[in-house]
Amino acid sequence: MNADLHLNAAATEINGAHPQWSRAEAQAIYDLPFNDLLFRAQTVHRQNFDPNRVQLSRLLSIKTGGCPEDCGYCSQSSRHESGLKASKLMEVQRVLAEAKKAKDAGATRYCMGAAWRSPKERDMDAVVAMIEGVKELGMESCMTLGMLDLGQAQRLKEAGLDYYNHNIDTSERYYNEIITTRTFADRLDTLANVRDSGIKVCCGGIVGMGEEKADRVDMLVTLANLPEHPDSVPINMLIPIEGTPLGEAEPIEPIEFVRTIALARIMMPKSHVRLSAGRTAMSDEMQALCFFAGANSIFVGDTLLTAENPGEDKDTALFRRLGIQPMERGAQ
Ligand code: SAM
Ligand code: DTB
Ligand code: SF4
């Protein structure tokens, strides 16, 4: 079947909302000849964004390790022997000093992550102070603290939180192979609470966890069929961590990864698709293909939460070679 046919056939409008996707439609696009897929993804990208601008986010782990959850990929779960040292919630002033450095290095969004199942009441005052401080610096704020009920989400919104990251991680079908301590439905509940409180949603997943191609497609179909598309869609490539159940996982084939990015771009045309974890294991050429396929956000800095990231020098050099400019704050 040719690409144009899919262009017209794919996605059905329901009640004037964004198009709903069937698995079959999405799978057919994922499977297009690579050049057709990339051409189409780049066309959608150009209709919605400046193709030569990429948004820069900076991550900080505000509470590391000792997490009660059993996510099979994660260095921070207390159930795996990753050798990571657990630490307590960071002091607000230290977090804000790091945020200031990130701002000076060009990041427009500051993302703070905690290894919690969900935030505890006793931690909320500090978390609120962190959000307020990041906002005062003139950066967008993002947090990822685990599950939230509606009241917690509303409290974060009142503090001025712009984005909340909570990933579905994989397809509903494959999910139980990776995490048993919280369900796929729990994840969707948290996403609904975040959305209903008026905070923008950042939601994506991980590829390269031994899933099938159909799982990658289904994960994106779930995201694209949410009541609203997430504002940001982080696509992480598994960073295999020694001592975790996925420490020996086979790396994903790079072309499959690029296909995943392209499908995300096509199905969620106005979302920022983030080329997220795993860039240290990618060649410059693979990253360039991901940008061509519609990725337009990255994490900068030499650490993510606990794992390595390429760092400023490498990214500056890559951007120069590709003629890419950082996106301004709040710009498309
Ligand atoms: N504890 C919170 C939670 O899980 O909701 C927030 C932090 S958690 C580390 C954020 C996301 O990072 C996970 O949902 C997962 O998608 C991603 N992630 C964690 N470890 C990873 C790894 N080793 N490789 C790739 N992505 C990873
Ligand atoms: C997301 O999707 N990726 C980021 C962010 N959201 C919080 C985290 C990546 C973590 C990579 C592994 C680590 O640093 O421990
Ligand atoms: Fe805990 Fe989040 Fe890691 Fe899961 S991904 S073990 S919830 S820190």
Side-chain angles (χ1 to χ4, degrees):
M1 215 187 275
N2 77 33
D4 291 344
L5 198 53
H6 285 304
L7 251 178
N8 299 328
T12 326
E13 295 276 345
I14 294 178
N15 300 331
H18 63 69
Q20 294 289 297
W21 291 83
S22 74
R23 282 177 175 176
E25 288 165 338
Q27 183 80 60
I29 291 175
Y30 185 100
D31 286 334
L32 281 173
F34 192 63
N35 286 341
D36 290 341
L37 174 64
L38 257 63
F39 180 71
R40 183 158 164 195
Q42 176 66 201
T43 305
V44 170
H45 192 46
R46 279 168 187 265
Q47 285 162 356
N48 294 285
F49 290 100
D50 178 338
N52 300 309
R53 291 218 181 241
V54 167
Q55 188 273 332
L56 309 184
S57 290
R58 182 73 161 92
L59 265 173
L60 176 71
S61 179
I62 56 170
K63 196 272 165 207
T64 305
C67 184
E69 304 293 283
D70 70 351
C71 311
Y73 47 76
C74 188
S75 63
Q76 304 198 69
S77 167
S78 60
R79 300 169 191 238
H80 317 319
E81 301 284 335
S82 71
L84 186 78
K85 202 171 151 284
S87 58
K88 288 197 293 198
L89 183 62
M90 257 169 103
E91 277 169 27
V92 177
Q93 286 317 315
R94 255 188 83 202
V95 172
L96 298 181
E98 292 299 321
K100 172 82 173 50
K101 283 192 223 160
K103 186 189 175 185
D104 293 344
T108 56
R109 191 179 307 170
Y110 204 61
C111 309
M112 295 158 273
W116 288 329
R117 175 174 165 82
S118 55
K120 300 227 161 47
E121 187 49 40
R122 62 167 188 261
D123 296 314
M124 287 303 269
D125 286 348
V127 161
V128 162
M130 290 173 196
I131 296 168
E132 289 170 349
V134 167
K135 298 292 295 173
E136 272 168 30
L137 285 169
M139 299 172 90
E140 292 177 323
S141 56
C142 176
M143 288 209 151
T144 179
L145 314 172
M147 294 190 280
L148 292 186
D149 62 30
L150 186 59
Q152 289 173 316
Q154 284 166 340
R155 178 125 188 246
L156 298 180
K157 171 69 185 171
E158 279 160 26
L161 187 67
D162 296 298
Y163 294 84
Y164 195 80
N165 167 245
H166 196 69
N167 292 340
I168 58 170
D169 278 352
T170 187
S171 70
E172 186 167 10
R173 181 183 41 230
Y174 196 57
Y175 183 89
N176 291 338
E177 306 285 322
I178 306 295
I179 301 134
T180 68
T181 49
R182 69 170 73 147
T183 64
F184 198 78
D186 289 334
R187 301 234 175 202
L188 298 179
D189 284 349
T190 291
L191 292 172
N193 292 336
V194 171
R195 195 169 53 238
D196 292 348
S197 73
I199 300 172
K200 292 181 201 136
V201 171
C202 169
C203 182
I206 311 179
V207 297
M209 297 195 295
E211 75 284 346
E212 306 276 324
K213 178 166 76 172
D215 294 308
R216 295 191 277 280
V217 171
D218 281 3
M219 173 177 91
L220 294 179
V221 168
T222 297
L223 295 174
N225 287 346
L226 287 171
E228 288 167 27
H229 289 163
D231 277 83
S232 295
V233 180
I235 305 292
N236 297 280
M237 186 171 85
L238 177 73
I239 302 178
I241 312 270
E242 227 184 291
T244 64
L246 289 167
E248 305 289 324
E250 276 291 302
I252 186 166
E253 216 269 296
I255 298 293
E256 289 291 304
F257 186 86
V258 178
R259 284 183 181 277
T260 307
I261 297 269
L263 183 60
R265 167 50 65 225
I266 291 165
M267 292 205 295
M268 293 170 277
K270 294 186 189 305
S271 303
H272 289 81
V273 175
R274 182 169 307 121
L275 177 55
S276 197
R279 291 196 300 116
T280 48
M282 295 179 196
S283 67
D284 284 359
E285 293 78 10
M286 179 173 169
Q287 293 187 64
L289 272 180
C290 289
F291 294 132
F292 191 71
N296 62 346
S297 171
I298 58 167
F299 285 120
V300 290
D302 33 329
T303 22
L304 293 161
L305 291 172
T306 70
E308 271 195 334
N309 200 45
E312 197 181 339
D313 293 352
K314 280 211 173 107
D315 284 338
T316 305
L318 177 62
F319 276 24
R320 192 174 305 124
R321 288 170 70 206
L322 300 179
I324 288 176
Q325 303 278 338
M327 209 179 272
E328 306 289 323
R329 198 204 135 151
Q332 274 230 316

